[in-house]
Amino acid sequence: GRFVQVIAGRLNVAPILKGRSKCLSCGEALRPFDLIPVVSYLLLRGKCRYCKTKYGSQALFVELFFGVTFLALYQLVLVGQPTLLLSFAWLTYYTFLFGSLGVMALYDRLHSYIPFPFLVSYLVLTLLMFTLRMIENPTIVNFLSPLLVALPFLLIWLVTKGKGVGFGDVILFFGVGAFFGSLQGFAVFIISIWIGAIVGLYIKYLHKNKHTKPTAIPFVPFIVIAFIWVLFTGIDIFSIAQLFS
């Protein structure tokens, strides 16, 4: 989670693997004890040790989110694998997948843009899962699931001529359909819209500022949260329908 934030913050700005982390306010290089995930944030109360500038809550949230995500990955995916080699293979796969999702979510939040290399890596990884699903269950519904899940956003993109949603969101949902199939893919679609609606209402009515102009809400973070939610709960479109029946 810490490294994902480094990538999102330095991408197209500074070398990712070179140079130490610095406070963006005072420029002081951060020491190892300033960078212990969660612990350093809590001990320093979310402030720079040197200039006392507040970092904001994003760092803590991302670190906790990735910690919980990989704990769930261990408990629900890696435990019970028949061999250590297979367990390591799945760990490698999901590390790259979660890393790509995390970078896209944070970068979209900062710049309202999805970095193309990470979108491509996400698409490749989800198509790998799509290939495995097709080998296990080669049905026409499975084959069409990426297009079916992406279709609603594709129509919005076409009707609004790219003003309602970005084409990157369409590609993301294509990958959702490739990874999950249609039933769970549509669950990701619905949950992400619900999360976006709740956040939008909060911003409009509870956190509004008369002196700020309305801005577009980045949607990729909602897709990522819904993706993780469906992955570890196994919820699908029928499960959601039962909640209202």
Side-chain angles (χ1 to χ4, degrees):
R2 171 78 67 175
F3 186 59
V4 164
Q5 292 181 83
V6 169
I7 296 174
R10 296 186 182 185
L11 190 63
N12 300 323
V13 176
I16 293 173
L17 298 178
K18 294 182 180 180
R20 295 175 56 182
S21 297
K22 298 180 180 180
C23 173
L24 297 179
S25 181
C26 66
E28 184 72 25
L30 302 180
R31 275 59 170 180
F33 46 78
D34 298 322
L35 299 170
I36 303 172
V38 180
V39 175
S40 293
Y41 186 96
L42 295 177
L43 290 177
L44 297 173
R45 298 180 181 179
K47 300 178 182 179
C48 172
R49 181 189 299 273
Y50 311 101
C51 68
K52 308 304 179 183
T53 300
K54 291 185 178 181
Y55 288 135
S57 58
Q58 174 181 290
L60 178 63
F61 174 80
V62 172
E63 290 167 3
L64 288 172
F65 181 80
F66 270 88
V68 172
T69 296
F70 274 90
L71 179 62
L73 176 67
Y74 174 77
Q75 293 288 346
L76 301 177
V77 177
L78 303 184
V79 170
Q81 293 294 334
T83 65
L84 180 61
L85 180 61
L86 189 59
S87 181
F88 180 76
W90 280 119
L91 173 62
T92 303
Y93 173 84
Y94 278 108
T95 297
F96 280 102
L97 179 62
F98 294 155
S100 298
L101 288 169
V103 171
M104 289 190 294
L106 291 178
Y107 202 83
D108 185 50
R109 183 179 180 274
L110 292 171
H111 306 288
S112 298
Y113 174 78
I114 303 175
F116 183 73
F118 290 90
L119 183 61
V120 171
S121 66
Y122 160 80
L123 194 58
V124 170
L125 290 166
T126 53
L127 287 175
L128 284 175
M129 184 64 77
F130 174 75
T131 303
L132 292 178
R133 289 196 307 103
M134 286 300 298
I135 293 173
E136 294 178 357
N137 188 19
T139 64
I140 188 64
V141 174
N142 262 338
F143 181 74
L144 293 176
S145 57
L147 182 59
L148 292 174
V149 175
L151 187 58
F153 263 58
L154 177 60
L155 293 175
I156 295 173
W157 182 78
L158 291 172
V159 170
T160 64
K161 298 181 180 180
K163 296 180 180 179
V165 296
F167 193 72
D169 295 327
V170 179
I171 299 299
L172 279 173
F173 274 110
F174 185 89
V176 167
F179 184 92
F180 286 109
S182 54
L183 296 182
Q184 288 189 310
F186 279 119
V188 174
F189 176 81
I190 291 174
I191 292 172
S192 62
I193 289 178
W194 284 351
I195 297 173
I198 292 171
V199 172
L201 290 172
Y202 169 77
I203 292 174
K204 183 175 181 179
Y205 294 108
L206 299 179
H207 196 64
K208 59 184 179 180
N209 189 332
K210 296 180 180 180
H211 302 288
T212 58
K213 297 180 180 180
T215 57
I217 301 174
F219 197 70
V220 177
F222 309 142
I223 300 175
V224 172
I225 293 173
F227 189 106
I228 301 298
W229 188 345
V230 172
L231 175 63
F232 292 131
T233 63
I235 193 172
D236 59 23
I237 193 68
F238 293 127
S239 303
I240 293 176
Q242 288 177 355
L243 295 175
F244 299 94
S245 62

